[in-house]
Amino acid sequence: MPEVKVPELAESITEGTIAEWLKQVGDSVDKGEAILELETDKVNVEVVSEEAGVLQETLANEGDTVEVGQAVAVVGEGSGNASNSNEDTSSQQSTEASSTGEAASTSDEAPKTEQNDSTDSTDSTQRVNATPSARKYAREKGVNLNDVAAKSNDVVRKEDVNQQQNGAAASNNKPAESSKKQETPAPAAQKPSKPVKREKMSRRKKTASKKLLEVSNNTAMLTTFNEIDMTNVMNLRKRKKEQFIKDHDGTKLGFMSFFTKAAVAALKKYPEVNAEIDGDDMITKEYYDIGVAVSTDDGLLVPFVRDCDKKNFAEIEAEIANLAVKARDKKLGLDDMVNGSFTITNGGIFGSMMSTPIINGSQAAILGMHSIITRPIAIDAETIENRPMMYIALSYDHRIIDGKEAVGFLKTIKDLIENPEDLLLES
């Protein structure tokens, strides 16, 4: 029978975790239809069947780690659905019961009670949250799923059934003396003094934590700061935003396009910031794929806006909005998440006044934006005015970037944002 295998994902991704089975054993499957959702280090990917038929068997459970090329399911010929099959069986049993009703009424009460108990047990077993392979294994071994304790996420798996069966067999083989000793109640296990919630980390969160730790341990990371007077760019945006929306089919003019174009100009001036270390080599990237951090329910994702040096403000704003929607709808592809050159993160949307962002992957630096806060600023020796100010931060790998380049990079960003007409010339 045709096997469904984990497809090639990306050059750097060799495995994933089964997040959810979209089809169950017995379900009809069309060619090209998704049967499971696979969680990778970067995005979730749907695995599809190359054949039409019926899902005969699942070879892995939700939460299992599977490798590229590994078979995860078997699709056989036929059509229909497991639920339809069950309904047919129930209908047949009902018909048989009707035809033998007279004989049943004259039979002893004991067999009737036994039958009812069996039915109740079967119905109760069906309510247990278990994987298809666990149900099949339990039927083969005669194990009641109600007696099986789930070890992971309240879902009974095949290994749980096996452990229950082995435990029951060992208990039956113990001598009576041993059984009497067990009657002595054991001391109760110590419980937490305060309520806690324990849950398994998602694959993406585990991968992110691992990579962040690697960056922290394997780079000489420093952070330098500057502040920007946002008065001029805010006034420009206020004057032009309505016309911008009309001219560009509803695309809004935000601050991210200004900072993206300013970052491109600064990267051209300080190419070390657009580099990375590969062994004993330093690779300086001559393209400008800028990552924009997006917050989702599953954590922070960083899709990339490609070729920002060749895009205008409207194209950058539209692409950022599109990537944000895809991220929140879990529609990002692997191509959206790899091979970026520099990253911008905006903690200001959550109210952050200042932070030290962590470098993204193998990149050399990351720019952090923060809240715009009105503060009193000395204009000259005699004048103080309230101005909308933003702190910006550049975290960088000191192995590649010297302090002079880091400070110069931020100064370039500051000058361009404070004088947005110069930013148009740089573009």
Side-chain angles (χ1 to χ4, degrees):
M1 292 184 181
E3 293 181 331
V4 179
K5 297 182 179 180
V6 179
E8 293 288 339
L9 300 170
E11 185 177 352
S12 59
I13 299 178
T14 59
E15 62 181 21
T17 299
I18 296 180
E20 181 184 1
W21 279 101
L22 305 177
K23 293 286 186 177
Q24 301 300 324
V25 172
D27 287 352
S28 297
V29 179
D30 294 330
K31 183 176 181 180
E33 186 176 11
I35 65 169
L36 67 91
E37 185 178 10
L38 190 69
E39 182 182 21
T40 72
D41 297 345
K42 298 182 182 296
V43 295
N44 284 19
V45 178
E46 290 184 342
V47 177
V48 303
S49 173
E50 299 296 332
E51 301 290 338
V54 175
L55 183 60
Q56 300 286 357
E57 184 181 2
T58 57
L59 306 178
N61 301 317
E62 291 181 1
D64 288 352
T65 298
V66 292
E67 298 180 352
V68 170
Q70 178 179 337
V72 291
V74 176
V75 175
E77 296 180 356
S79 62
N81 187 285
S83 59
N84 295 337
S85 176
N86 290 338
E87 290 174 4
D88 293 342
T89 303
S90 299
S91 177
Q92 181 180 354
Q93 290 175 346
S94 177
T95 303
E96 292 175 357
S98 298
S99 64
T100 57
E102 185 178 351
S105 63
T106 58
S107 62
D108 294 336
E109 293 297 323
K112 185 186 296 183
T113 304
E114 182 178 345
Q115 182 180 359
N116 290 340
D117 290 344
S118 174
T119 303
D120 291 342
S121 174
T122 302
D123 292 342
S124 178
T125 298
Q126 292 298 324
R127 287 194 292 270
V128 175
N129 191 7
T131 63
S133 59
R135 293 188 185 280
K136 179 181 178 183
Y137 189 69
R139 288 195 299 269
E140 293 174 351
K141 300 299 181 181
V143 176
N144 189 339
L145 287 177
N146 289 295
D147 298 332
V148 180
K151 299 295 189 299
S152 175
N153 297 331
D154 294 328
V155 179
V156 175
R157 305 185 186 281
K158 183 177 178 181
E159 53 266 30
D160 299 331
V161 177
N162 190 47
Q163 184 174 354
Q164 170 67 22
Q165 184 191 29
N166 292 339
S171 176
N172 292 335
N173 292 334
K174 287 182 180 178
E177 231 176 85
S178 174
S179 299
K180 289 181 181 179
K181 288 182 181 179
Q182 290 184 355
E183 290 177 4
T184 304
Q190 186 175 2
K191 295 182 179 180
S193 58
K194 300 290 184 180
V196 299
K197 180 181 179 181
R198 181 186 294 271
E199 57 184 344
K200 190 175 181 181
M201 291 175 65
S202 68
R203 179 182 185 87
R204 194 166 301 133
K205 192 168 287 291
K206 286 191 295 184
T207 300
S209 63
K210 178 182 177 182
K211 289 186 175 180
L212 291 174
L213 187 60
E214 286 178 354
V215 169
S216 180
N217 292 335
N218 298 329
T219 62
M221 190 166 64
L222 296 177
T223 304
T224 187
F225 301 90
N226 210 321
E227 63 178 357
I228 298 176
D229 184 345
M230 299 290 290
T231 301
N232 291 337
V233 74
M234 290 178 70
N235 289 338
L236 173 62
R237 180 171 174 264
K238 185 177 181 179
R239 293 196 312 271
K240 299 294 185 180
K241 65 179 182 179
E242 296 298 333
Q243 189 62 43
F244 191 90
I245 291 174
K246 292 179 182 178
D247 292 343
H248 300 289
D249 299 325
T251 300
K252 296 180 180 180
L253 179 61
F255 292 120
M256 284 303 301
S257 54
F258 287 94
F259 278 89
T260 300
K261 296 301 283 186
V264 169
L267 289 171
K268 290 180 177 179
K269 189 173 182 179
Y270 298 97
E272 297 88 350
V273 184
N274 205 34
E276 67 176 69
I277 291 178
D278 183 17
D280 294 330
D281 299 330
M282 185 175 79
I283 300 175
T284 302
K285 300 165 186 175
E286 297 179 346
Y287 59 91
Y288 304 93
D289 292 350
I290 308 299
V292 179
V294 178
S295 178
T296 71
D297 293 338
D298 295 330
L300 196 68
L301 298 176
V302 185
F304 293 96
V305 181
R306 307 295 180 185
D307 300 319
C308 290
D309 57 322
K310 302 174 184 177
K311 287 183 168 68
N312 59 32
F313 281 71
E315 290 170 332
I316 291 174
E317 290 289 355
E319 184 65 12
I320 290 174
N322 178 52
L323 290 172
V325 171
K326 289 172 67 176
R328 295 184 181 113
D329 292 343
K330 299 182 180 180
K331 299 297 184 181
L332 284 175
L334 291 173
D335 291 342
D336 296 321
M337 304 284 291
V338 296
N339 298 328
S341 61
F342 183 75
T343 296
I344 302 174
T345 180
N346 185 6
I349 60 176
F350 303 111
S352 172
M353 183 178 180
M354 187 178 292
S355 68
T356 56
I358 298 179
I359 299 170
N360 182 27
S362 60
Q363 295 174 12
I366 181 172
L367 177 67
M369 299 166 55
H370 300 92
S371 294
I372 300 173
I373 298 176
T374 301
R375 292 188 280 117
I377 300 296
I379 304 302
D380 52 41
E382 298 178 353
T383 307
I384 295 178
E385 293 184 5
N386 288 331
R387 293 292 183 93
M389 304 297 294
M390 176 194 286
Y391 287 118
I392 55 174
L394 183 75
S395 291
Y396 61 98
D397 190 343
H398 205 357
R399 297 177 300 165
I400 304 178
I401 305 166
D402 292 333
K404 178 183 176 182
E405 283 75 27
V407 172
F409 181 91
L410 278 191
K411 183 65 165 52
T412 300
I413 298 285
K414 172 183 171 68
D415 291 342
L416 290 172
I417 297 297
E418 290 184 343
N419 300 280
E421 64 274 9
D422 292 343
L423 187 56
L424 297 177
L425 296 176
E426 287 287 344
S427 300

